[in-house]
Protein backbone atom coordinates (compact mmCIF):
# COMPACT_ATOMS: atom_id res chain seq x y z
CA UNK A 1 0.00 0.00 0.00
CA UNK A 2 1.34 3.40 -0.86
CA UNK A 3 0.07 6.85 -0.06
CA UNK A 4 1.44 9.65 -2.27
CA UNK A 5 1.37 13.36 -1.39
CA UNK A 6 2.55 15.79 -4.08
CA UNK A 7 3.31 19.46 -3.44
CA UNK A 8 3.77 21.42 -6.64
CA UNK A 9 5.72 24.64 -6.86
CA UNK A 10 6.42 26.24 -10.22
CA UNK A 11 5.88 24.51 -13.53
CA UNK A 12 9.38 23.04 -13.65
CA UNK A 13 9.67 21.33 -10.29
CA UNK A 14 7.73 19.26 -7.80
CA UNK A 15 8.37 17.62 -4.45
CA UNK A 16 7.08 14.15 -3.75
CA UNK A 17 6.71 12.49 -0.38
CA UNK A 18 5.79 8.84 -0.12
CA UNK A 19 4.62 6.87 2.88
CA UNK A 20 5.05 3.15 2.24
CA UNK A 21 3.70 0.21 4.22
CA UNK A 22 6.26 -2.58 4.03
CA UNK A 23 5.53 -6.26 3.47
CA UNK A 24 5.20 -8.41 6.62
CA UNK A 25 8.37 -9.62 8.31
CA UNK A 26 7.67 -13.30 7.61
CA UNK A 27 6.95 -12.61 3.94
CA UNK A 28 10.33 -10.96 3.44
CA UNK A 29 12.10 -13.68 5.42
CA UNK A 30 10.50 -16.35 3.27
CA UNK A 31 11.50 -14.42 0.14
CA UNK A 32 15.14 -14.55 1.19
CA UNK A 33 15.04 -18.25 2.14
CA UNK A 34 13.07 -19.26 -0.95
CA UNK A 35 15.44 -17.35 -3.25
CA UNK A 36 18.85 -18.19 -1.83
CA UNK A 37 18.44 -21.73 -0.47
CA UNK A 38 18.37 -23.41 -3.92
CA UNK A 39 21.12 -21.15 -5.25
CA UNK A 40 23.53 -22.56 -2.69
CA UNK A 41 23.28 -25.91 -4.48
CA UNK A 42 23.65 -24.73 -8.09
CA UNK A 43 26.02 -21.72 -7.90
CA UNK A 44 28.90 -23.36 -9.75
CA UNK A 45 31.52 -21.56 -11.82
CA UNK A 46 33.15 -19.05 -9.48
CA UNK A 47 32.33 -15.43 -8.64
CA UNK A 48 31.89 -14.23 -12.21
CA UNK A 49 29.31 -16.91 -12.98
CA UNK A 50 27.66 -16.17 -9.63
CA UNK A 51 27.03 -12.60 -10.77
CA UNK A 52 25.14 -13.95 -13.78
CA UNK A 53 23.05 -16.27 -11.60
CA UNK A 54 22.22 -13.50 -9.13
CA UNK A 55 21.26 -11.07 -11.88
CA UNK A 56 18.91 -13.63 -13.43
CA UNK A 57 17.20 -14.31 -10.11
CA UNK A 58 17.16 -10.97 -8.32
CA UNK A 59 16.66 -8.58 -11.25
CA UNK A 60 14.89 -10.58 -13.96
CA UNK A 61 12.97 -13.31 -12.14
CA UNK A 62 12.08 -11.93 -8.70
CA UNK A 63 12.29 -8.22 -9.55
CA UNK A 64 13.88 -7.32 -6.23
CA UNK A 65 15.68 -4.36 -7.80
CA UNK A 66 16.49 -2.74 -11.12
CA UNK A 67 19.59 -3.16 -13.28
CA UNK A 68 20.97 0.14 -12.01
CA UNK A 69 20.82 -0.80 -8.33
CA UNK A 70 22.22 -4.29 -9.02
CA UNK A 71 25.14 -2.91 -11.03
CA UNK A 72 25.91 -0.34 -8.34
CA UNK A 73 26.03 -2.98 -5.60
CA UNK A 74 28.18 -5.18 -7.83
CA UNK A 75 30.60 -2.29 -8.43
CA UNK A 76 30.79 -1.51 -4.71
CA UNK A 77 31.64 -5.16 -4.01
CA UNK A 78 34.36 -4.99 -6.66
CA UNK A 79 35.83 -1.97 -4.90
CA UNK A 80 36.00 -3.67 -1.49
CA UNK A 81 38.27 -6.49 -0.34
CA UNK A 82 36.62 -9.87 0.06
CA UNK A 83 34.46 -12.28 -1.97
CA UNK A 84 32.59 -10.14 -4.49
CA UNK A 85 29.72 -12.54 -5.17
CA UNK A 86 29.10 -13.10 -1.46
CA UNK A 87 29.15 -9.35 -0.84
CA UNK A 88 26.60 -8.96 -3.64
CA UNK A 89 24.41 -11.63 -2.03
CA UNK A 90 24.60 -9.87 1.34
CA UNK A 91 23.98 -6.37 -0.03
CA UNK A 92 21.04 -7.39 -2.24
CA UNK A 93 19.41 -9.35 0.58
CA UNK A 94 20.04 -6.49 3.02
CA UNK A 95 18.29 -4.03 0.70
CA UNK A 96 15.36 -6.46 0.62
CA UNK A 97 15.02 -7.49 4.27
CA UNK A 98 17.66 -5.81 6.42
CA UNK A 99 21.05 -6.97 7.71
CA UNK A 100 19.90 -9.77 10.03
CA UNK A 101 16.77 -11.14 8.34
CA UNK A 102 18.14 -10.49 4.86
CA UNK A 103 21.91 -10.25 4.74
CA UNK A 104 22.90 -12.86 7.34
CA UNK A 105 20.24 -15.36 6.31
CA UNK A 106 21.22 -15.08 2.63
CA UNK A 107 24.90 -15.46 3.54
CA UNK A 108 24.13 -18.66 5.44
CA UNK A 109 21.98 -20.11 2.64
CA UNK A 110 24.48 -19.17 -0.06
CA UNK A 111 27.51 -20.74 1.65
CA UNK A 112 26.12 -23.73 3.52
CA UNK A 113 26.21 -26.62 0.96
CA UNK A 114 29.77 -25.98 -0.23
CA UNK A 115 31.00 -25.20 3.27
CA UNK A 116 29.67 -28.48 4.68
CA UNK A 117 31.42 -30.52 1.98
CA UNK A 118 34.67 -28.59 2.53
CA UNK A 119 34.53 -29.25 6.27
CA UNK A 120 33.87 -32.96 5.78
CA UNK A 121 36.65 -33.27 3.23
CA UNK A 122 39.04 -31.26 5.36
CA UNK A 123 38.41 -33.53 8.33
CA UNK A 124 39.57 -36.47 6.23
CA UNK A 125 36.37 -37.86 4.69
CA UNK A 126 36.63 -37.76 0.90
CA UNK A 127 33.10 -37.55 -0.50
CA UNK A 128 33.67 -35.82 -3.84
CA UNK A 129 36.37 -36.25 -6.46
CA UNK A 130 36.95 -32.87 -8.09
CA UNK A 131 37.90 -34.47 -11.42
CA UNK A 132 35.03 -36.96 -11.51
CA UNK A 133 33.00 -37.38 -14.69
CA UNK A 134 29.82 -36.12 -13.05
CA UNK A 135 31.46 -32.76 -12.30
CA UNK A 136 32.93 -32.21 -15.78
CA UNK A 137 30.14 -30.09 -17.26
CA UNK A 138 29.08 -27.91 -14.34
CA UNK A 139 31.87 -25.33 -14.52
CA UNK A 140 31.61 -24.83 -18.31
CA UNK A 141 27.82 -24.52 -18.04
CA UNK A 142 28.22 -21.77 -15.47
CA UNK A 143 30.61 -19.92 -17.79
CA UNK A 144 27.85 -19.88 -20.40
CA UNK A 145 25.77 -17.80 -17.98
CA UNK A 146 28.75 -15.54 -17.41
CA UNK A 147 28.76 -14.62 -21.10
CA UNK A 148 25.05 -13.88 -20.92
CA UNK A 149 25.62 -11.60 -17.92
CA UNK A 150 28.40 -9.73 -19.72
CA UNK A 151 26.10 -9.14 -22.66
CA UNK A 152 23.35 -7.95 -20.33
CA UNK A 153 25.70 -5.44 -18.71
CA UNK A 154 26.42 -3.77 -22.05
CA UNK A 155 23.15 -1.86 -21.69
CA UNK A 156 24.61 -0.10 -18.65
CA UNK A 157 27.45 1.40 -20.73
CA UNK A 158 25.52 4.12 -22.53
CA UNK A 159 28.30 6.30 -23.94
CA UNK A 160 31.77 6.08 -25.47
CA UNK A 161 33.48 7.23 -22.28
CA UNK A 162 31.97 4.35 -20.29
CA UNK A 163 32.88 1.90 -23.06
CA UNK A 164 36.46 3.21 -23.02
CA UNK A 165 36.78 2.76 -19.26
CA UNK A 166 35.37 -0.76 -19.53
CA UNK A 167 37.77 -1.56 -22.36
CA UNK A 168 40.78 -0.32 -20.37
CA UNK A 169 39.89 -2.33 -17.25
CA UNK A 170 39.21 -5.41 -19.38
CA UNK A 171 42.57 -5.22 -21.17
CA UNK A 172 44.51 -4.59 -17.95
CA UNK A 173 42.78 -7.54 -16.22
CA UNK A 174 43.51 -9.91 -19.11
CA UNK A 175 47.15 -8.82 -19.20
CA UNK A 176 47.57 -9.42 -15.47
CA UNK A 177 46.01 -12.88 -15.76
CA UNK A 178 47.79 -13.96 -18.93
CA UNK A 179 51.24 -12.37 -19.07
CA UNK A 180 54.00 -14.50 -17.58
CA UNK A 181 56.10 -11.41 -16.88
CA UNK A 182 53.47 -9.75 -14.64
CA UNK A 183 53.20 -10.78 -11.01
CA UNK A 184 49.61 -11.87 -10.36
CA UNK A 185 49.82 -10.23 -6.95
CA UNK A 186 49.67 -6.76 -8.52
CA UNK A 187 45.91 -7.18 -8.89
CA UNK A 188 45.74 -6.48 -5.14
CA UNK A 189 46.31 -2.80 -5.87
CA UNK A 190 45.69 -2.52 -9.64
CA UNK A 191 41.99 -3.51 -9.45
CA UNK A 192 41.00 -0.98 -6.76
CA UNK A 193 43.22 1.63 -8.43
CA UNK A 194 41.35 1.17 -11.72
CA UNK A 195 38.02 1.58 -9.93
CA UNK A 196 39.20 4.74 -8.18
CA UNK A 197 40.63 6.24 -11.37
CA UNK A 198 37.48 5.41 -13.34
CA UNK A 199 35.33 7.06 -10.67
CA UNK A 200 37.52 10.17 -10.47
CA UNK A 201 37.62 10.49 -14.26
CA UNK A 202 33.83 10.55 -14.60
CA UNK A 203 33.48 12.85 -11.57
CA UNK A 204 35.83 15.40 -13.15
CA UNK A 205 34.25 14.93 -16.58
CA UNK A 206 30.77 15.57 -15.17
CA UNK A 207 31.90 19.06 -14.07
CA UNK A 208 32.95 20.04 -17.58
CA UNK A 209 30.74 22.27 -19.71
CA UNK A 210 30.71 19.69 -22.52
CA UNK A 211 31.39 16.34 -20.84
CA UNK A 212 32.37 13.23 -22.78
CA UNK A 213 29.98 11.05 -20.78
CA UNK A 214 26.25 11.12 -20.11
CA UNK A 215 25.23 11.88 -16.52
CA UNK A 216 21.95 12.06 -14.68
CA UNK A 217 21.15 15.11 -12.60
CA UNK A 218 20.40 15.18 -8.89
CA UNK A 219 17.04 13.78 -7.80
CA UNK A 220 15.01 13.49 -4.62
CA UNK A 221 17.35 10.99 -3.01
CA UNK A 222 16.73 8.69 -0.09
CA UNK A 223 14.80 9.89 2.97
CA UNK A 224 15.28 7.74 6.05
CA UNK A 225 11.86 8.81 7.38
CA UNK A 226 9.84 7.46 4.49
CA UNK A 227 12.01 5.53 2.05
CA UNK A 228 11.30 1.81 2.03
CA UNK A 229 14.75 0.66 0.90
CA UNK A 230 16.54 2.75 3.51
CA UNK A 231 14.19 1.43 6.19
CA UNK A 232 14.85 -2.16 5.09
CA UNK A 233 18.60 -1.66 5.22
CA UNK A 234 18.09 -0.54 8.82
CA UNK A 235 21.65 0.73 9.35
CA UNK A 236 22.02 4.46 10.17
CA UNK A 237 25.02 6.31 8.79
CA UNK A 238 26.69 6.56 12.19
CA UNK A 239 26.35 2.81 12.67
CA UNK A 240 27.89 2.24 9.24
CA UNK A 241 30.84 4.42 10.26
CA UNK A 242 31.20 2.47 13.53
CA UNK A 243 31.17 -0.83 11.62
CA UNK A 244 34.00 0.43 9.41
CA UNK A 245 35.99 1.54 12.47
CA UNK A 246 35.45 -1.92 14.02
CA UNK A 247 36.89 -3.56 10.89
CA UNK A 248 39.93 -1.25 10.92
CA UNK A 249 40.60 -1.72 14.65
CA UNK A 250 40.36 -5.51 14.39
CA UNK A 251 42.73 -5.47 11.40
CA UNK A 252 45.15 -3.34 13.41
CA UNK A 253 45.03 -5.83 16.28
CA UNK A 254 45.77 -8.66 13.84
CA UNK A 255 48.73 -6.79 12.37
CA UNK A 256 50.16 -6.11 15.83
CA UNK A 257 49.70 -9.76 16.82
CA UNK A 258 51.41 -10.90 13.61
CA UNK A 259 54.35 -8.51 14.17
CA UNK A 260 54.86 -9.85 17.69
CA UNK A 261 54.36 -13.56 17.05
CA UNK A 262 55.13 -14.21 13.37
CA UNK A 263 54.69 -17.82 12.27
CA UNK A 264 56.03 -19.42 15.44
CA UNK A 265 52.75 -20.21 17.16
CA UNK A 266 49.89 -22.27 15.83
CA UNK A 267 46.32 -22.62 17.05
CA UNK A 268 42.98 -20.88 16.72
CA UNK A 269 44.13 -17.30 17.29
CA UNK A 270 46.94 -17.39 14.68
CA UNK A 271 44.55 -19.09 12.26
CA UNK A 272 41.95 -16.34 12.68
CA UNK A 273 44.61 -13.62 12.44
CA UNK A 274 45.93 -15.11 9.21
CA UNK A 275 42.51 -15.43 7.59
CA UNK A 276 41.23 -12.03 8.72
CA UNK A 277 44.36 -10.24 7.53
CA UNK A 278 44.28 -11.96 4.14
CA UNK A 279 40.52 -11.37 3.81
CA UNK A 280 41.08 -7.66 4.43
CA UNK A 281 43.48 -7.17 1.52
CA UNK A 282 42.17 -9.55 -1.18
CA UNK A 283 40.86 -7.86 -4.30
CA UNK A 284 40.12 -9.66 -7.54
CA UNK A 285 38.24 -12.76 -6.41
CA UNK A 286 38.93 -16.15 -4.95
CA UNK A 287 41.72 -17.10 -7.37
CA UNK A 288 43.94 -14.53 -5.66
CA UNK A 289 43.61 -16.48 -2.39
CA UNK A 290 45.78 -19.34 -3.65
CA UNK A 291 49.26 -17.75 -3.59
CA UNK A 292 48.50 -15.65 -0.52
CA UNK A 293 47.15 -18.44 1.66
CA UNK A 294 49.84 -20.86 0.52
CA UNK A 295 52.54 -18.78 2.17
CA UNK A 296 50.38 -18.39 5.28
CA UNK A 297 49.33 -22.00 5.96
CA UNK A 298 51.71 -24.25 4.01
CA UNK A 299 55.05 -22.57 4.72
CA UNK A 300 54.65 -22.75 8.54
CA UNK A 301 53.62 -26.42 8.23
CA UNK A 302 49.97 -26.14 9.26
CA UNK A 303 48.94 -28.31 6.29
CA UNK A 304 50.89 -29.93 3.44
CA UNK A 305 51.05 -28.53 -0.09
CA UNK A 306 49.26 -31.59 -1.49
CA UNK A 307 46.43 -31.14 0.99
CA UNK A 308 46.26 -27.44 0.19
CA UNK A 309 46.03 -28.00 -3.58
CA UNK A 310 43.50 -30.82 -3.23
CA UNK A 311 41.27 -28.61 -1.10
CA UNK A 312 41.51 -25.72 -3.54
CA UNK A 313 40.53 -28.03 -6.43
CA UNK A 314 37.59 -29.31 -4.38
CA UNK A 315 36.38 -25.78 -3.56
CA UNK A 316 36.49 -24.87 -7.25
CA UNK A 317 34.30 -27.87 -8.04
CA UNK A 318 31.60 -27.03 -5.48
CA UNK A 319 28.75 -24.54 -5.59
CA UNK A 320 29.04 -21.33 -3.65
CA UNK A 321 31.95 -18.95 -3.11
CA UNK A 322 35.54 -20.09 -3.56
CA UNK A 323 36.26 -18.60 -0.13
CA UNK A 324 34.64 -21.77 1.30
CA UNK A 325 38.17 -23.09 0.80
CA UNK A 326 38.91 -21.48 4.17
CA UNK A 327 36.66 -24.04 5.87
CA UNK A 328 38.66 -26.86 4.27
CA UNK A 329 41.98 -25.37 5.41
CA UNK A 330 40.72 -24.85 8.94
CA UNK A 331 39.24 -28.34 9.13
CA UNK A 332 42.42 -29.97 7.79
CA UNK A 333 44.44 -28.08 10.40
CA UNK A 334 42.29 -28.02 13.54
CA UNK A 335 39.09 -29.95 12.79
CA UNK A 336 35.57 -28.54 12.84
CA UNK A 337 36.48 -25.75 15.26
CA UNK A 338 39.30 -24.68 12.99
CA UNK A 339 36.96 -24.71 10.02
CA UNK A 340 34.57 -22.28 11.70
CA UNK A 341 37.39 -19.99 12.85
CA UNK A 342 38.99 -19.90 9.40
CA UNK A 343 35.61 -19.38 7.72
CA UNK A 344 34.73 -16.41 9.95
CA UNK A 345 38.20 -14.97 9.53
CA UNK A 346 38.31 -15.02 5.73
CA UNK A 347 34.67 -14.04 5.11
CA UNK A 348 34.45 -11.56 7.99
CA UNK A 349 36.20 -8.50 6.51
CA UNK A 350 34.23 -8.47 3.25
CA UNK A 351 30.88 -8.94 5.00
CA UNK A 352 31.69 -6.30 7.65
CA UNK A 353 32.69 -3.77 4.99
CA UNK A 354 29.61 -4.32 2.82
CA UNK A 355 27.38 -3.75 5.86
CA UNK A 356 29.35 -0.56 6.58
CA UNK A 357 28.88 0.66 3.00
CA UNK A 358 25.15 -0.05 2.63
CA UNK A 359 23.76 3.06 4.41
CA UNK A 360 26.20 5.33 2.56
CA UNK A 361 25.16 3.81 -0.76
CA UNK A 362 21.48 4.23 0.08
CA UNK A 363 21.99 7.84 1.19
CA UNK A 364 24.26 9.10 -1.56
CA UNK A 365 23.26 7.20 -4.68
CA UNK A 366 20.76 9.86 -5.83
CA UNK A 367 23.06 12.89 -5.48
CA UNK A 368 24.56 14.31 -8.69
CA UNK A 369 28.25 13.94 -7.77
CA UNK A 370 27.82 10.39 -6.43
CA UNK A 371 25.90 9.43 -9.57
CA UNK A 372 28.86 10.64 -11.61
CA UNK A 373 31.24 8.58 -9.45
CA UNK A 374 29.06 5.49 -9.94
CA UNK A 375 29.15 5.92 -13.72
CA UNK A 376 32.92 5.41 -13.73
CA UNK A 377 32.79 2.74 -11.03
CA UNK A 378 30.15 0.75 -12.91
CA UNK A 379 31.86 1.01 -16.29
CA UNK A 380 35.21 -0.11 -14.88
CA UNK A 381 33.59 -3.02 -13.01
CA UNK A 382 31.79 -4.12 -16.20
CA UNK A 383 35.19 -4.31 -17.87
CA UNK A 384 36.20 -6.82 -15.21
CA UNK A 385 33.20 -8.99 -16.17
CA UNK A 386 34.25 -9.07 -19.82
CA UNK A 387 37.81 -9.90 -18.77
CA UNK A 388 36.42 -12.74 -16.67
CA UNK A 389 34.71 -14.14 -19.78
CA UNK A 390 38.05 -14.35 -21.55
CA UNK A 391 40.01 -15.63 -18.57
CA UNK A 392 37.48 -18.14 -17.27
CA UNK A 393 36.70 -19.55 -20.72
CA UNK A 394 40.37 -20.28 -21.24
CA UNK A 395 40.71 -21.89 -17.80
CA UNK A 396 37.46 -23.87 -17.88
CA UNK A 397 36.94 -25.16 -21.42
CA UNK A 398 39.52 -27.90 -21.92
CA UNK A 399 37.83 -30.30 -24.33
CA UNK A 400 34.94 -30.64 -26.77
CA UNK A 401 32.62 -32.12 -24.11
CA UNK A 402 33.10 -29.08 -21.89
CA UNK A 403 32.63 -26.76 -24.88
CA UNK A 404 29.33 -28.54 -25.56
CA UNK A 405 28.21 -27.94 -21.97
CA UNK A 406 29.08 -24.26 -22.37
CA UNK A 407 27.09 -23.94 -25.61
CA UNK A 408 24.03 -25.81 -24.30
CA UNK A 409 23.82 -23.73 -21.11
CA UNK A 410 24.35 -20.47 -23.00
CA UNK A 411 21.71 -21.32 -25.58
CA UNK A 412 19.17 -22.28 -22.91
CA UNK A 413 19.76 -19.00 -21.10
CA UNK A 414 19.76 -16.67 -24.12
CA UNK A 415 17.44 -18.36 -26.62
CA UNK A 416 15.04 -20.37 -24.44
CA UNK A 417 15.10 -18.02 -21.40
CA UNK A 418 15.49 -20.96 -19.00
CA UNK A 419 16.26 -20.17 -15.35
CA UNK A 420 19.89 -20.31 -14.24
CA UNK A 421 19.69 -23.58 -12.23
CA UNK A 422 18.08 -25.38 -15.19
CA UNK A 423 20.78 -24.06 -17.54
CA UNK A 424 23.60 -25.19 -15.27
CA UNK A 425 22.11 -28.59 -14.52
CA UNK A 426 21.28 -29.30 -18.17
CA UNK A 427 24.72 -28.23 -19.34
CA UNK A 428 26.23 -30.25 -16.51
CA UNK A 429 24.30 -33.36 -17.54
CA UNK A 430 25.46 -32.97 -21.15
CA UNK A 431 29.08 -32.70 -20.03
CA UNK A 432 28.74 -35.61 -17.60
CA UNK A 433 27.22 -37.93 -20.21
CA UNK A 434 29.80 -37.08 -22.86
CA UNK A 435 32.64 -37.53 -20.38
CA UNK A 436 31.26 -40.80 -18.99
CA UNK A 437 31.06 -42.41 -22.45
CA UNK A 438 34.45 -40.95 -23.53
CA UNK A 439 33.05 -38.66 -26.19
CA UNK A 440 34.35 -35.16 -26.89
CA UNK A 441 37.50 -35.55 -24.81
CA UNK A 442 39.78 -34.19 -27.53
CA UNK A 443 41.48 -31.03 -26.25
CA UNK A 444 39.78 -27.77 -27.17
CA UNK A 445 40.46 -25.51 -29.05
CA UNK A 446 40.90 -28.06 -31.81
Amino acid sequence: AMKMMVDKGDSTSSAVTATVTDEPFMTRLWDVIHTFYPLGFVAFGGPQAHIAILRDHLVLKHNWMGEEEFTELFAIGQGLPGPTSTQLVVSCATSRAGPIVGGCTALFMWNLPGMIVCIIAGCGISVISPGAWYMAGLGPAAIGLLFKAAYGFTGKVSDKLGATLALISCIVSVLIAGDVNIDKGVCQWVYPLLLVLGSLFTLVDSKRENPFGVYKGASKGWDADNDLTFKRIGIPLWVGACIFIFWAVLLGVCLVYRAQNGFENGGYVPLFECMYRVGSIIFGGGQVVLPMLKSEVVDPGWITLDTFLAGFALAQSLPGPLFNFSAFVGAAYLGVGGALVAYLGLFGPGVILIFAMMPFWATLRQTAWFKAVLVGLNATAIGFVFAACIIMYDLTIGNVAQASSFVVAGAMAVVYKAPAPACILTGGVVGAILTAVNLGLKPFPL
Side-chain angles (χ1 to χ4, degrees):
M2 180 179 291
K3 179 182 178 182
M4 300 294 293
M5 298 173 290
V6 182
D7 298 322
K8 295 186 177 180
D10 56 37
S11 59
T12 61
S13 65
S14 63
V16 180
T17 304
T19 301
V20 181
T21 301
D22 202 356
E23 298 175 54
F25 171 87
M26 293 306 298
T27 300
R28 290 184 287 129
L29 175 61
W30 173 247
D31 277 349
V32 172
I33 296 173
H34 179 260
T35 300
F36 285 103
Y37 178 73
L39 293 185
F41 291 92
V42 298
F44 293 92
Q48 294 83 9
H50 296 165
I51 305 304
I53 295 172
L54 293 171
R55 175 180 174 271
D56 278 352
H57 276 71
L58 304 183
V59 178
L60 303 180
K61 182 178 179 181
H62 295 288
N63 196 31
W64 277 18
M65 59 183 60
E67 289 275 11
E68 183 178 4
E69 292 85 356
F70 182 84
T71 308
E72 289 172 5
L73 291 175
F74 167 62
I76 290 172
Q78 286 277 4
L80 295 174
T84 301
S85 62
T86 300
Q87 289 170 315
L88 186 58
V89 165
V90 172
S91 60
C92 289
T94 298
S95 68
R96 174 69 177 171
I100 304 301
V101 176
C104 293
T105 301
L107 174 68
F108 180 75
M109 296 293 176
W110 177 253
N111 291 351
L112 186 62
M115 182 181 69
I116 289 176
V117 175
C118 282
I119 292 175
I120 293 173
C123 289
I125 303 175
S126 180
V127 295
I128 290 182
S129 174
W133 60 270
Y134 51 82
M135 303 290 289
L138 293 175
I143 301 306
L145 296 188
L146 172 60
F147 275 71
K148 178 194 174 186
Y151 178 76
F153 279 131
T154 57
K156 304 304 297 179
V157 182
S158 58
D159 54 65
K160 292 182 180 179
L161 175 59
T164 301
L165 293 174
L167 180 62
I168 292 172
S169 65
C170 177
I171 292 173
V172 172
S173 299
V174 172
L175 283 174
I176 291 175
D179 195 297
V180 295
N181 297 315
I182 299 178
D183 182 6
K184 303 302 181 290
V186 301
C187 65
Q188 294 294 302
W189 59 269
V190 171
Y191 288 168
L193 178 62
L194 286 171
L195 291 165
V196 170
L197 291 178
S199 301
L200 290 176
F201 195 94
T202 51
L203 176 61
V204 173
D205 181 61
S206 68
K207 305 297 183 181
R208 297 174 63 245
E209 184 177 350
N210 297 307
F212 296 112
V214 177
Y215 306 97
K216 297 179 180 179
S219 56
K220 173 181 176 290
W222 299 91
D223 186 336
D225 292 328
N226 58 28
D227 184 80
L228 181 59
T229 302
F230 198 97
K231 286 181 177 180
R232 285 178 170 179
I233 291 174
I235 304 174
L237 290 175
W238 69 271
V239 174
C242 290
I243 294 173
F244 179 82
I245 293 172
F246 170 77
W247 164 79
V249 169
L250 188 54
L251 176 60
V253 171
C254 289
L255 293 174
V256 171
Y257 179 88
R258 170 65 181 271
Q260 293 179 347
N261 295 276
F263 283 111
E264 286 76 13
N265 299 323
Y268 292 108
V269 174
L271 178 62
F272 178 83
E273 180 277 325
C274 157
M275 293 293 175
Y276 188 87
R277 176 169 39 82
V278 170
S280 294
I281 61 175
I282 285 181
F283 294 87
Q287 300 291 344
V288 183
V289 169
L290 183 61
M292 296 188 68
L293 278 187
K294 175 183 173 298
S295 63
E296 298 286 345
V297 302
V298 175
D299 293 352
W302 293 356
I303 62 175
T304 66
L305 178 60
D306 288 342
T307 299
F308 180 86
L309 294 176
F312 193 74
L314 175 65
Q316 288 181 302
S317 303
L318 295 172
L322 193 54
F323 274 42
N324 277 337
F325 176 52
S326 61
F328 175 90
V329 171
Y333 178 37
L334 293 172
V336 175
L340 297 177
V341 168
Y343 173 87
L344 291 174
L346 196 62
F347 276 95
V351 174
I352 291 171
L353 287 172
I354 200 66
F355 279 140
M357 281 298 299
M358 286 299 291
F360 293 96
W361 167 75
T363 303
L364 296 175
R365 67 177 299 268
Q366 297 297 339
T367 62
W369 71 267
F370 195 68
K371 280 186 173 183
V373 166
L374 288 175
V375 169
L377 192 68
N378 292 345
T380 306
I382 288 171
F384 293 151
V385 178
F386 278 93
C389 289
I390 300 170
I391 297 166
M392 295 305 296
Y393 185 89
D394 182 63
L395 292 175
T396 307
I397 310 300
N399 56 46
V400 175
Q402 292 175 330
S404 300
S405 299
F406 166 81
V407 171
V408 168
M412 287 188 65
V414 176
V415 179
Y416 299 104
K417 312 299 181 185
C423 297
I424 292 176
L425 291 177
T426 304
V429 168
V430 170
I433 292 174
L434 292 176
T435 303
V437 299
N438 292 320
L439 287 176
L441 300 185
K442 185 176 180 179
F444 187 86
L446 300 176

